[in-house]
Amino acid sequence: MNLKEFIKECHQKEVFKNLSIYVVSSWVLIQVFSEVWEPFGLPKISMTYLLLVLIAGFPFYIYLIWRYRLKSSETKLSQREGMKFVKNKSGDEGVESQLKKRKVHLPGIHFYSPFQKMYFTFLFAILLVSVFAVALIVRANFINEPEPGAFAFAKDDSNDKIAVLSFENNTTDEELDVVGKMAVDWIIHGITQNDIGQVISPKVVEQYSTVLKASLLPEEDNGILTEYLKPGKIISGNYYLNKGELLIQCVIMDGNMNETLETIEPVTCESDSPLVCIEMLKQRLLSALLEEDERYTVYEEKPPNYEAYKMMLGMDKYESHTPEYLNLLNEAIALDSTYFEPKLHRMAYYYNLEDFAMADSMVRELASADLKSSRQQNLVKLWTALINGDNKKAFTYLKKEYNTEPDDLNNNSSTMVLALQFVNRPEAVDSVYNNQPIMAYIDSLSCQTCEYRHFSKGMADIALGEPKKAISMFSDYGKVKGFYWIKDVLLYANIRVADSLEVDNILNTIKLTGDFPTWQDKCLLVAEQYLLLGNPSRADFYFKQLLESLEAPSAEATQREKELKAFTHFYMEDFAAAAVIFEDLLKEDPEDIDYHSFLAMSLFKIGQIEKAEKLLEEIENYRADYQYGKIDYAKARFYAVKGDTDLLIQNLIRAVAAGKRYNPGTFHDDVLMKPYTELESFKNVLNFWH
């Protein structure tokens, strides 16, 4: 029986009519259930269960059509056509059987006719499709990623995002602009403090307005919300003066801004006491946002001093590492000693300058304060873990902060950095990077603030064995000036796909755009990567270029130039020349740990073993707080060169336990560690924080 005949017979036997009954009934049931599940108080996952039942039941329904509608008539037809077994009488050698040999394709199913054979073939095909569809639904809704307990980010089971738009100043007094900004901040504080939902702040909307491709930008910021960020609820408001009094009002709208869900009763206060209005408005708004059985007045920490708050709005005028930035923070704290934000930024200021002792004293001061905000408590725990070198705890606390405001580019970037460099989980980077569909519209070449996000994403792809993915995403960066972090990604990736021509093109772009010292640094990076991948001849090509550039006549070689020359000689295995330069460098900076370790390794390689080991012992004299495993890692390098596997692993474990990061050029990316990377004990070092 061919397909055309089979379809014709299905029409005659009303098979398609019966199938349409199931399909239409299922569709109606889904439509009805989508409207009634919420009023009945059923969980949202109930719809998934219904789909599973309907899809899994379809093949069974097709079998029932055969069993109760087609089988009897088909069996009779088969008998009329002579398709039955006839006993052969003994001696009847000439009797020919008119029967076709029966084949068993499914347990207990015997094919009496060509129609039945074709019918059950299609049934089997539909069964496979159903099983595949059920597997996809189960995987998407019930099976988590590997080790979800350690690296599970917030799932979008329901849209709990709340966007808080800038409040419009209708007072005609620009001096009162700060009132709207403070109202927004205090409302956001209340939402996050009570875990009502994820927040999209005006700052986030502004970030994406800046970095989205111009051709795709909506005409207004509201378009970014409704088309890209897609919150579940949107809060907007305005304020004006009424007979000398300040009046603030706001509404809660749906995510498309086409329906007002609730209008908040306006609040009034004296125009010179806006904090009274702001606190009252926050309490009324929280009452509206909380579930009906959870409505209560939440007494938060008091709003900051008004003048201190206005001062903090000027933070963006200064670079975060400048004295002016620090002075502003100190002045805000002087105006309000309980103001948390400037204290947090001041602590981060010292941490980023690597003055860890000062940062530690400040975070201890914050930890000893009576903080009632859970978000503030979490941030203090995060910074405490960072300063203590407890990378696992740091990542855990950062995930909580990330889940509070995942759309913020700074939160997004920091989470990727900690996943990749602090706990060595490159597989966790992708979900953070692609958390929002809006990320696909980021214009890479116009987004300076996105550079480190891209770097982390690219390095994670390379670590996962997908260098071509990084190249396809960031190839444009190789042709423009600057963006050196992402050029590193391209260099790493192109080396791994053996595209030496593109590596040369990127280096030439760096050299021709005028940053010669950066070109020298990248030559060393590229040469080390070729050594790591077992291509010494290609590595020597770049080492020689670097040495030629360093031999150029100059009044006096700088410390940086001496460093480059020393490392180049070391990796080219000219250990005698390297030892001379490292000795000279050590005289200039006798406490530099790297100078000690590389000099010790150079001396060991030229046979001065006793002197090398003595130098290594001297490193212990420089052990201090806040080094994050630097001395232990330096000793591990020495034992890697010496070939002492046990001491190598011991020191690596000490280093990583003290907070040593998995930065480029360390651990599995360190040329000196290459002979040991396949050892199980070395892999345990990489998985230490897992």
Side-chain angles (χ1 to χ4, degrees):
M1 171 177 284
N2 58 35
L3 182 61
K4 185 176 181 180
E5 292 172 341
F6 173 72
I7 293 174
K8 182 179 179 181
E9 194 162 342
C10 283
H11 275 295
Q12 293 172 350
K13 298 177 184 294
E14 297 186 336
V15 173
F16 294 131
K17 178 181 178 181
N18 286 285
L19 290 179
S20 65
I21 292 173
Y22 185 91
V23 173
V24 173
S25 300
S26 298
W27 179 253
V28 172
L29 182 60
I30 291 171
Q31 295 301 313
V32 172
F33 192 78
S34 66
E35 297 295 329
V36 303
W37 70 268
E38 191 168 8
F40 277 96
L42 297 173
K44 193 174 181 180
I45 198 69
S46 302
M47 178 64 78
T48 305
Y49 286 120
L50 177 62
L51 286 173
L52 286 173
V53 170
L54 292 176
I55 293 173
F58 189 54
F60 183 67
Y61 177 78
I62 296 175
Y63 172 74
L64 292 180
I65 293 176
W66 166 264
R67 178 71 178 79
Y68 294 104
R69 290 187 173 271
L70 303 177
K71 183 178 179 181
S72 57
S73 60
E74 189 67 18
T75 303
K76 292 177 183 178
L77 177 63
S78 300
Q79 290 173 347
R80 285 198 303 270
E81 291 175 350
M83 294 185 66
K84 62 182 179 179
F85 282 102
V86 180
K87 292 181 180 179
N88 289 329
K89 297 179 181 178
S90 58
D92 293 342
E93 297 178 358
V95 178
E96 294 183 0
S97 174
Q98 301 297 322
L99 303 175
K100 295 182 179 179
K101 186 178 181 181
R102 294 184 296 177
K103 295 181 180 179
V104 180
H105 289 257
L106 295 172
I109 305 298
H110 300 275
F111 291 100
Y112 294 92
S113 71
F115 174 79
Q116 183 177 357
K117 181 177 179 180
M118 185 74 79
Y119 188 90
F120 276 94
T121 299
F122 274 93
L123 172 57
F124 184 70
I126 292 172
L127 177 64
L128 290 178
V129 173
S130 299
V131 169
F132 180 71
V134 168
L136 287 179
I137 294 174
V138 169
R139 182 176 183 274
N141 292 274
F142 303 104
I143 300 178
N144 293 326
E145 294 180 359
E147 298 183 32
F151 291 90
F153 292 94
K155 292 180 174 58
D156 189 23
D157 294 329
S158 60
N159 191 348
D160 65 344
K161 290 185 179 181
I162 301 173
V164 184
L165 302 183
S166 298
F167 275 45
E168 185 177 355
N169 180 4
N170 293 326
T171 67
T172 70
D173 184 355
E174 293 183 1
E175 291 280 325
L176 293 177
D177 284 348
V178 67
V179 173
K181 293 182 173 68
M182 196 169 194
V184 168
D185 282 355
W186 203 236
I187 288 168
I188 290 173
H189 172 75
I191 293 171
T192 57
Q193 168 68 13
N194 294 280
D195 295 324
I196 297 173
Q198 295 179 357
V199 175
I200 301 174
S201 65
K203 180 186 72 171
V204 170
V205 178
E206 183 181 350
Q207 283 178 338
Y208 290 112
S209 298
T210 303
V211 301
L212 279 173
K213 293 180 180 177
S215 60
L216 296 173
L217 257 179
E219 291 182 1
E220 298 178 352
D221 286 347
N222 293 347
I224 295 174
L225 280 174
T226 57
E227 293 181 32
Y228 299 109
L229 296 173
K230 299 181 179 178
K233 295 176 182 176
I234 296 175
I235 298 170
S236 69
N238 56 64
Y239 54 100
Y240 53 90
L241 292 173
N242 181 25
K243 298 180 180 179
E245 287 191 324
L246 185 66
L247 187 148
I248 310 179
Q249 58 188 13
C250 72
V251 296
I252 304 174
M253 296 177 288
D254 70 323
N256 294 318
M257 301 188 73
N258 54 19
E259 180 183 355
T260 299
L261 303 178
E262 190 161 353
T263 300
I264 307 303
E265 183 181 353
V267 296
T268 59
C269 59
E270 296 295 328
S271 60
D272 56 354
S273 303
L275 294 181
V276 176
C277 281
I278 291 170
E279 178 65 18
M280 290 170 58
L281 182 69
K282 185 198 74 171
Q283 301 300 340
R284 294 179 183 181
L285 188 60
L286 291 181
S287 180
L289 289 172
L290 290 167
E291 295 296 331
E292 207 165 307
D293 59 346
E294 296 178 329
R295 291 189 176 185
Y296 55 89
T297 301
V298 183
Y299 292 97
E300 306 290 348
E301 294 176 296
K302 67 181 183 68
N305 175 277
Y306 190 58
E307 294 300 321
Y309 180 84
K310 285 200 295 184
M311 186 171 292
M312 287 296 293
L313 292 178
M315 283 175 57
D316 295 338
K317 297 177 183 177
Y318 308 108
E319 295 289 335
S320 61
H321 60 275
T322 60
E324 293 80 8
Y325 179 82
L326 179 62
N327 290 338
L328 182 145
L329 298 176
N330 286 329
E331 289 177 22
I333 294 169
L335 288 169
D336 186 347
S337 61
T338 63
Y339 197 178
F340 178 82
E341 184 180 2
K343 291 184 177 182
L344 185 71
H345 287 304
R346 185 174 65 175
M347 183 272 301
Y349 169 87
Y350 285 107
Y351 181 90
N352 292 330
L353 291 180
E354 298 189 1
D355 188 347
F356 300 116
M358 181 66 78
D360 192 10
S361 66
M362 290 180 175
V363 81
R364 288 175 188 272
E365 181 184 345
L366 287 173
S368 64
D370 184 22
L371 299 176
K372 295 180 176 62
S373 164
S374 59
R375 188 174 186 183
Q376 291 178 5
Q377 292 170 1
N378 185 69
L379 285 168
V380 170
K381 290 176 181 177
L382 163 62
W383 283 99
T384 300
L386 285 172
I387 291 172
N388 291 338
D390 191 336
N391 293 348
K392 183 176 182 179
K393 283 186 178 179
F395 188 60
T396 300
Y397 295 131
L398 183 59
K399 282 194 297 180
K400 291 182 181 179
E401 176 66 14
Y402 168 81
N403 289 338
T404 300
E405 199 173 3
D407 297 300
D408 182 74
L409 286 178
N410 294 324
N411 269 349
N412 194 281
S413 176
S414 297
T415 306
M416 292 168 63
V417 170
L418 262 70
L420 182 65
Q421 296 185 13
F422 282 66
V423 293
N424 193 34
R425 291 305 298 257
E427 66 273 20
V429 170
D430 196 61
S431 61
V432 182
Y433 184 84
N434 295 313
N435 179 58
Q436 291 292 337
I438 192 172
M439 298 298 180
Y441 300 100
I442 296 292
D443 183 355
S444 301
L445 296 179
S446 66
C447 177
Q448 290 281 353
T449 60
C450 300
E451 183 171 3
Y452 212 81
R453 285 187 67 256
H454 296 333
F455 172 78
S456 298
K457 164 63 174 169
M459 295 303 290
D461 287 337
I462 292 168
L464 295 172
E466 299 180 331
K468 290 183 180 179
K469 193 173 180 181
I471 292 170
S472 65
M473 289 182 69
F474 304 124
S475 58
D476 287 345
Y477 284 100
K479 306 178 181 68
V480 296
K481 182 178 180 179
F483 297 100
Y484 296 121
W485 285 107
I486 307 190
K487 282 187 171 64
D488 282 355
V489 172
L490 290 172
L491 291 171
Y492 273 81
N494 282 292
I495 289 170
R496 277 156 179 74
V497 299
D499 192 344
S500 298
L501 179 61
E502 186 59 25
V503 171
D504 287 337
N505 289 338
I506 295 169
L507 287 175
N508 285 334
T509 298
I510 295 172
K511 191 174 184 179
L512 292 172
T513 51
D515 199 333
F516 191 69
T518 301
W519 173 82
Q520 292 176 317
D521 292 338
K522 301 311 177 190
C523 280
L524 181 60
L525 179 151
V526 167
E528 289 182 29
Q529 285 300 302
Y530 275 115
L531 279 182
L532 189 68
L533 296 180
N535 191 343
S537 60
R538 193 69 188 171
D540 284 346
F541 172 75
Y542 295 103
F543 281 136
K544 289 175 182 177
Q545 285 193 59
L546 179 54
L547 281 179
E548 287 176 8
S549 72
L550 295 169
E551 294 296 342
S554 61
E556 186 177 349
T558 64
Q559 183 175 347
R560 178 191 153 278
E561 290 171 337
K562 290 178 183 178
E563 274 188 18
L564 287 173
K565 202 169 185 179
F567 287 125
T568 301
H569 283 303
F570 179 87
Y571 286 116
M572 292 182 74
E573 300 186 0
D574 187 355
F575 299 111
V580 171
I581 305 174
F582 279 123
E583 279 184 327
D584 187 31
L585 286 167
L586 202 55
K587 291 175 183 176
E588 296 179 20
D589 189 356
E591 295 186 9
D592 189 285
I593 305 303
D594 286 337
Y595 295 165
H596 274 89
S597 62
F598 275 90
L599 176 56
M601 289 185 285
S602 299
L603 293 173
F604 181 87
K605 282 291 190 179
I606 61 178
Q608 299 183 30
I609 298 175
E610 186 177 341
K611 187 177 178 181
E613 291 181 342
K614 184 179 179 181
L615 191 64
L616 189 70
E617 290 175 5
E618 290 177 3
I619 295 180
E620 287 292 336
N621 297 329
Y622 302 104
R623 191 178 288 275
D625 293 331
Y626 315 114
Q627 289 178 329
Y628 303 107
K630 190 169 186 178
I631 285 179
D632 298 307
Y633 191 80
K635 293 173 73 173
R637 276 176 161 164
F638 177 84
Y639 291 119
V641 171
K642 186 178 180 180
D644 191 331
T645 304
D646 290 339
L647 287 176
L648 161 69
I649 298 301
Q650 288 177 27
N651 280 278
L652 284 179
I653 290 175
R654 291 192 188 104
V656 73
K660 180 69 177 176
R661 302 179 191 176
Y662 302 93
N663 292 334
T666 64
F667 296 101
H668 51 298
D669 194 43
D670 190 332
V671 175
L672 302 177
M673 303 296 167
K674 182 183 175 184
Y676 309 96
T677 53
E678 295 304 316
L679 296 177
E680 193 64 30
S681 55
F682 189 90
K683 293 177 181 177
N684 290 337
V685 172
L686 300 182
N687 298 333
F688 182 85
W689 295 112
H690 298 190

